[in-house]
Amino acid sequence: MNMPDKVKKRRDALINVAFAAMILGLLYIFIKYCFAVTAPFLLSFFLAVILQRPLRHLDKKTGKKAHTFWSLFLVLISALIILGPVITVIAFIVREIGSFISYLVGQLGDLPSLLATLEAEILDILKFLPDAIYTNAADAISNFFSRMINNFDLSELGIDLKAITNGVTTGVSGIFGVVRNIPSVLIGVVIGIIAWIFFTKDYDYIVGFIKNQLPDNKKNILSEIKQIFSSTVLKMIRAYALIMFITFCELFLGLSILNWTGIMSNNYIFMIAIAIAVFDILPVAGSGGILIPWAIISLILGDVPKAIGLLVIYVIISVIRQYIEPKIVGSSLGVHPIVTLAGLYFGLKLFGFLGMFIVPIAVMTLKAFNDAGRIHIYNPVERN
């Protein structure tokens, strides 16, 4: 007996929902409990894939007998090329972050003067009101700012000093926790390099072994996954990394010019440029989320040249970004910004800071597989 179409559609919908829930559940379990443990091996395998092309070229030139030597040679050279700059940059960034935090804490001392200037600007703007209304409004505003300035009470603005203090304490504890875990990190690096050597040397054997465990109609799935990942997700990550680097260069150059011309004086341009470049790559936010408020505060404080300079930098970054993004990214994966934004939020809530990057990448990967027909999570809709 044939199943009615309505029942069949409901069954298919329930199967799709259950399948999507299973994939999301497995993804959550993997990221939450397995990612940190398997990260050295996953990264080692990924790097081994990258080394296969030069290794095959060397094998053709020298023969298979030198395969083990070239595998070891390529891994060690690549490790030196990667680890040297990475360790140097991390050491520099950690040192600069410490100095930058001290600088920000020092800037809190200027908050009362900023509040006094803001009070005067607001009162000046409200002078168009009738005298009776203006008097009442001015009294309320003056009392508010007086409490803020005299008591330096940030809670008036809804800012919880206790939460900030706890956050700083947690951050410091986290830094000490990282320092305590340095031996385990070093062990992970060493194990990762050893695994990298084995994955590189025995890549064909390992891939062949995995394929032999699959059914005949699924033996090409690894090649398809590799092709999909390299042609979509990896390409997208590389493209946006380039955009972020270009934005950093624009910010660093623009802020340096403001420094050289005496418009502003700041010794932390490098760290500020990095922070804004990372912020710029987030959906919805953009560099304007930092540069525009910074320009407004500078304008309130009477520093008009700095405000104009920051706005000019923002306009230049926005124009260049609109021009280069389509060319660098090419055909987008089509993930809607709200989906990416939700991925950032849920990633942060579920997995911490790394989740902000892992979850959006996972979403893009799932979409790429869905578009390729390897999995079926949702039915795509063409945008008008």
Side-chain angles (χ1 to χ4, degrees):
M1 183 176 180
N2 294 331
M3 185 180 298
D5 289 341
K6 184 180 290 187
V7 175
K8 188 174 183 299
K9 287 182 179 179
R10 288 178 180 175
R11 185 201 65 180
D12 292 341
L14 289 173
I15 291 174
N16 289 334
V17 169
F19 183 65
M22 182 184 69
I23 290 179
L24 293 174
L26 291 174
L27 185 64
Y28 173 81
I29 292 172
F30 174 76
I31 295 176
K32 186 74 174 180
Y33 302 105
C34 303
F35 180 77
V37 178
T38 59
F41 296 95
L42 294 174
L43 181 59
S44 298
F45 185 78
F46 173 74
L47 295 173
V49 173
I50 295 175
L51 291 182
Q52 288 310 299
R53 181 174 293 181
L55 180 59
R56 295 183 197 283
H57 176 75
L58 291 171
D59 283 343
K60 286 182 180 180
K61 296 292 184 181
T62 61
K64 281 288 185 179
K65 290 183 179 180
H67 179 79
T68 301
F69 169 78
W70 287 124
S71 299
L72 182 62
F73 176 80
L74 287 174
V75 169
L76 293 180
I77 292 297
S78 302
L80 289 174
I81 292 173
I82 294 172
L83 292 178
V86 166
I87 292 173
T88 303
V89 169
I90 289 176
F92 174 78
I93 289 177
V94 169
R95 185 173 64 252
E96 286 295 304
I97 287 176
S99 300
F100 188 53
I101 290 174
S102 300
Y103 166 76
L104 289 178
V105 172
Q107 292 301 302
L108 287 175
D110 294 334
L111 188 58
S113 62
L114 171 62
L115 294 173
T117 306
L118 182 60
E119 177 189 0
E121 293 289 338
I122 293 174
L123 292 176
D124 187 59
I125 292 173
L126 296 179
K127 283 184 177 178
F128 72 92
L129 295 172
D131 291 341
I133 297 176
Y134 176 78
T135 300
N136 292 330
D139 289 340
I141 292 170
S142 297
N143 290 333
F144 171 79
F145 279 98
S146 293
R147 291 197 304 272
M148 285 285 297
I149 295 171
N150 294 332
N151 301 327
F152 198 58
D153 186 7
L154 292 180
S155 62
E156 294 283 350
L157 293 177
I159 300 175
D160 189 351
L161 278 175
K162 184 177 180 181
I164 294 174
T165 304
N166 292 338
V168 172
T169 304
T170 303
V172 173
S173 301
I175 292 173
F176 281 113
V178 171
V179 173
R180 286 196 303 269
N181 288 328
I182 283 178
S184 62
V185 171
L186 292 177
I187 292 173
V189 170
V190 172
I191 290 176
I193 292 175
I194 295 173
W196 187 5
I197 294 171
F198 283 115
F199 280 136
T200 303
K201 181 174 76 72
D202 299 327
Y203 176 80
D204 291 335
Y205 170 77
I206 293 170
V207 172
F209 175 81
I210 296 173
K211 285 184 177 180
N212 283 338
Q213 313 313 308
L214 300 173
D216 291 337
N217 61 340
K218 301 290 185 181
K219 288 188 181 295
N220 292 327
I221 191 170
L222 291 179
S223 300
E224 293 178 12
I225 289 174
K226 178 183 173 183
Q227 183 179 0
I228 292 171
F229 191 82
S230 60
S231 62
T232 54
V233 180
L234 200 61
K235 182 179 178 182
M236 183 69 68
I237 294 171
R238 188 167 57 243
Y240 277 109
L242 178 58
I243 291 174
M244 189 163 62
F245 176 73
I246 293 172
T247 303
F248 164 77
C249 292
E250 293 166 353
L251 285 162
F252 185 75
L253 180 61
L255 295 175
S256 296
I257 291 174
L258 295 183
N259 246 13
W260 293 334
T261 55
I263 293 176
M264 65 179 287
S265 179
N266 196 304
N267 296 324
Y268 302 99
I269 290 175
F270 183 82
M271 290 305 304
I272 293 173
I274 289 179
I276 298 178
V278 172
F279 196 74
D280 182 66
I281 213 68
L282 301 179
V284 181
S287 58
I290 295 178
L291 290 175
I292 292 177
W294 191 3
I296 292 174
I297 291 173
S298 300
L299 190 63
I300 291 172
L301 293 174
D303 198 345
V304 178
K306 184 196 285 187
I308 294 174
L310 293 172
L311 290 175
V312 169
I313 292 173
Y314 169 67
V315 170
I316 292 173
I317 290 174
S318 299
V319 171
I320 294 177
R321 172 74 178 269
Q322 292 299 319
Y323 177 76
I324 66 173
E325 187 168 5
K327 295 181 178 296
I328 294 176
V329 176
S331 57
S332 172
L333 286 177
V335 178
H336 195 278
I338 194 66
V339 177
T340 310
L341 189 63
L344 286 167
Y345 176 76
F346 289 121
L348 177 64
K349 288 294 183 181
L350 294 174
F351 311 114
F353 178 74
L354 285 179
M356 294 180 66
F357 301 93
I358 295 173
V359 172
I361 292 173
V363 169
M364 289 191 292
T365 304
L366 290 175
K367 184 185 185 303
F369 290 162
N370 190 86
D371 292 345
R374 297 309 308 180
I375 60 176
H376 184 74
I377 303 177
Y378 64 93
N379 296 317
V381 177
E382 293 293 332
R383 187 186 288 269
N384 295 328

